[in-house]
Amino acid sequence: MYFSISKQNFYKPLDYISGPAQGAGQDSINGNVLLNVIKNNNLYPNIDSQYVLELVCTDNDIEMKSIIGIYSDEVVEGGITVKVKSLLDIIKSFEDETFITIKYDESDNRVYIKTNSNDFNICAVPANGFPRIDTSDTCFDMKIRRKELLTIMETTQSAILQENYRYYLKGMRFSFDKNNPMEVNIFTSDAHRVSIQKGILNEPCIVPEDYITGGFIIPKKGVTEIIKLLSIDKNNPDEEIVLSVSDNSLNTVINGICIVCKLIKADVYPDFFSFIPQVCNKIMVLKRTYLKSCLKRVIILSNHHFPAVKFVIKNGLLTIKCKNNHHEEAKELIDLCSYEGDDIELAFNPHYIIDACDNMTTEKLKISLSDMSSCALIEPLPNKDEEVSYARYLVNRVKM
């Protein structure tokens, strides 16, 4: 393998796909990037070079691939893998205008990286041992605007469970309603809170019956990488993103980066729509940023191992307070925009409410409570000049 390329053409595509490899162990091949130089032969018609370089990183659950045109005079086909962190750090250290030559030498199993004034060599691992994700035929395509997809994923990702035996909560669920083929519903939960969003599709999504009932779940790592790519170019909000869904994986292309992501089965996912309190007899309206800043002040004296703040409404006034193990106490009186209902006293995890505030853009929000439900429903309350949001957040009460 031999080719030459500029830093500007090489570094960003390599950086964009490196996410899956970053958490791999020191000796794992999943910490490597596959460099594969092949003849184009119209495999990639949008690239006009005779040769292309394929860059691939994977952690066995998500695979990301970038294609770069090679325009140097001397090119030798071949594939090899090297540690992605070492390669990234080396390429990043060069000046932006640097031209780089990369060569694999079979005699000592090393990759040589040269510029006019630098010479590096790093260990290589044969490409034939590099894992790739097997995919099946596409079942259906979901087409959606770039900004729409970014919004619904960004505003729900915070509730994704980190580590738990409930595997189906370790990702973001996309579900469909055959009566509304232009919509997709998004759910995330960590069993203590639920984030719900709705996205409007570019065209009706014809979903097989199996997916109508369960939908599909993108794992947390896949969600993170997709959001990262969608966030790179916000100057083209109406660009159409196509998510191609098969029985076991999702395929998409964003910013020229190909993503293949294994899916989590959604057949046992809870019906979180049924958790939403239907008849709410206590409704408070607050200024969103004001509530967030108040909570951040009060939780300075919270119990870090069991954070909880108490909401006390008496005579139409809201007091937020908390106490820690040292009997230190914080208290703040908040002006309610409006309140309907009886006096109450209940507690919540403040971080969940702060996350909900962060995921909204409206000036005001509404918190609705019901005697029949242990959840509080938090919703944005847009005025006539603000964009309508379908976001809803359910937060469990805390026993104190």
Side-chain angles (χ1 to χ4, degrees):
M1 182 190 73
Y2 181 96
F3 65 93
S4 298
I5 191 171
S6 69
K7 175 190 174 178
Q8 291 177 325
N9 289 341
F10 190 35
Y11 178 73
K12 283 188 176 180
L14 178 62
D15 186 36
Y16 291 162
I17 67 158
S18 64
Q22 297 288 3
Q26 187 67 27
D27 299 323
S28 171
I29 195 170
N30 286 344
N32 286 20
V33 57
L34 170 65
L35 292 81
N36 191 33
V37 177
I38 59 173
K39 278 191 175 180
N40 192 345
N41 291 334
N42 212 34
L43 285 172
Y44 304 101
N46 59 325
I47 299 178
D48 60 1
S49 61
Q50 184 180 357
Y51 291 91
V52 294
L53 169 65
E54 296 179 331
L55 299 171
V56 184
C57 283
T58 183
D59 65 357
N60 294 328
D61 290 321
I62 179 172
E63 176 181 299
M64 300 180 70
K65 179 170 72 172
S66 181
I67 312 298
I68 309 172
I70 300 296
Y71 297 91
S72 55
D73 294 332
E74 185 179 353
V75 180
V76 177
E77 293 182 76
I80 199 66
T81 78
V82 295
K83 287 294 178 187
V84 69
K85 186 180 185 307
S86 299
L87 184 60
L88 263 176
D89 289 345
I90 291 169
I91 303 303
K92 185 179 181 180
S93 69
F94 298 146
E95 298 294 330
D96 288 343
E97 301 77 17
T98 304
F99 208 70
I100 306 160
T101 297
I102 295 180
K103 175 186 176 182
Y104 170 59
D105 190 334
E106 283 189 64
S107 63
D108 60 0
N109 202 33
R110 288 183 176 270
V111 168
Y112 290 83
I113 305 166
K114 297 185 178 183
T115 71
N116 287 336
S117 56
N118 302 101
D119 195 339
F120 294 84
N121 69 82
I122 54 179
C123 296
V125 177
N128 55 12
F130 191 78
R132 303 296 295 269
I133 295 178
D134 294 327
T135 61
S136 53
D137 294 337
T138 299
C139 296
F140 66 93
D141 290 331
M142 190 187 98
K143 300 178 180 180
I144 188 170
R145 291 171 58 244
R146 182 191 194 102
K147 182 182 178 183
E148 184 81 357
L149 182 60
L150 177 60
T151 298
I152 61 178
M153 294 184 74
E154 268 190 329
T155 55
T156 53
Q157 67 167 330
S158 60
I160 297 177
L161 193 64
Q162 294 282 6
E163 292 295 335
N164 196 283
Y165 63 91
R166 287 169 284 199
Y167 64 91
Y168 51 85
L169 295 183
K170 295 181 182 179
M172 181 176 291
R173 182 196 179 198
F174 288 63
S175 73
F176 305 89
D177 183 348
K178 60 183 176 183
N179 296 319
N180 296 293
M182 289 291 292
E183 297 177 359
V184 58
N185 295 304
I186 309 294
F187 302 88
T188 59
S189 176
D190 60 5
H192 301 289
R193 55 177 167 167
V194 182
S195 297
I196 303 173
Q197 259 284 19
K198 180 172 72 175
I200 307 301
L201 305 178
N202 283 6
E203 60 183 58
C205 190
I206 309 303
V207 182
E209 193 64 33
D210 291 347
Y211 283 94
I212 287 289
T213 54
F216 60 88
I217 301 172
I218 302 177
K220 183 178 177 67
K221 190 63 175 283
V223 170
T224 301
E225 295 300 331
I226 290 173
I227 289 175
K228 190 188 301 182
L229 291 177
L230 289 171
S231 302
I232 291 170
D233 180 13
K234 294 185 178 180
N235 295 322
N236 193 10
D238 295 325
E239 177 191 359
E240 183 173 80
I241 303 297
V242 181
L243 304 182
S244 299
V245 182
S246 69
D247 286 336
N248 64 344
S249 63
L250 175 141
N251 293 262
T252 189
V253 179
I254 304 171
N255 300 337
I257 307 296
C258 307
I259 303 175
V260 180
C261 180
K262 287 183 179 179
L263 297 177
I264 299 173
K265 289 185 178 181
D267 50 350
V268 295
Y269 203 86
D271 178 15
F272 284 125
F273 275 136
S274 65
F275 288 43
I276 299 174
Q278 299 301 315
V279 181
C280 297
N281 53 0
K282 301 174 183 65
I283 300 173
M284 66 183 90
V285 175
L286 306 99
K287 290 185 178 179
R288 178 180 61 87
T289 54
Y290 180 40
L291 172 63
K292 175 184 169 183
S293 61
C294 291
L295 286 169
K296 284 192 168 184
R297 281 191 293 272
V298 170
I299 63 175
I300 292 172
L301 295 182
S302 68
N303 186 338
H304 297 297
H305 298 293
F306 183 70
V309 294
K310 189 176 288 187
F311 280 54
V312 180
I313 297 181
K314 192 171 184 179
N315 299 324
L317 296 174
L318 169 62
T319 302
I320 296 180
K321 55 185 179 180
C322 76
K323 186 184 293 186
N324 60 27
N325 292 340
H326 302 289
H327 302 290
E328 298 169 325
E329 189 173 7
K331 186 186 299 184
E332 184 157 347
L333 186 66
I334 294 182
D335 291 329
L336 290 167
C337 296
S338 67
Y339 178 68
E340 300 174 15
D342 301 328
D343 292 349
I344 56 171
E345 186 171 319
L346 64 167
F348 299 101
N349 184 319
H351 300 293
Y352 297 165
I353 299 178
I354 290 171
D355 281 346
C357 291
D358 284 336
N359 290 328
M360 300 180 195
T361 57
T362 55
E363 180 186 355
K364 297 178 181 179
L365 59 79
K366 179 173 69 172
I367 301 179
S368 304
L369 302 159
S370 169
D371 293 335
M372 305 298 293
S373 173
S374 62
C375 296
L377 172 62
I378 306 174
E379 302 171 275
L381 199 63
N383 59 40
K384 62 180 182 180
D385 299 321
E386 293 177 325
E387 187 176 348
V388 175
S389 172
Y390 300 103
R392 283 172 287 180
Y393 302 94
L394 296 173
V395 178
N396 278 344
R397 302 180 192 183
V398 175
K399 293 182 180 180
M400 295 188 70

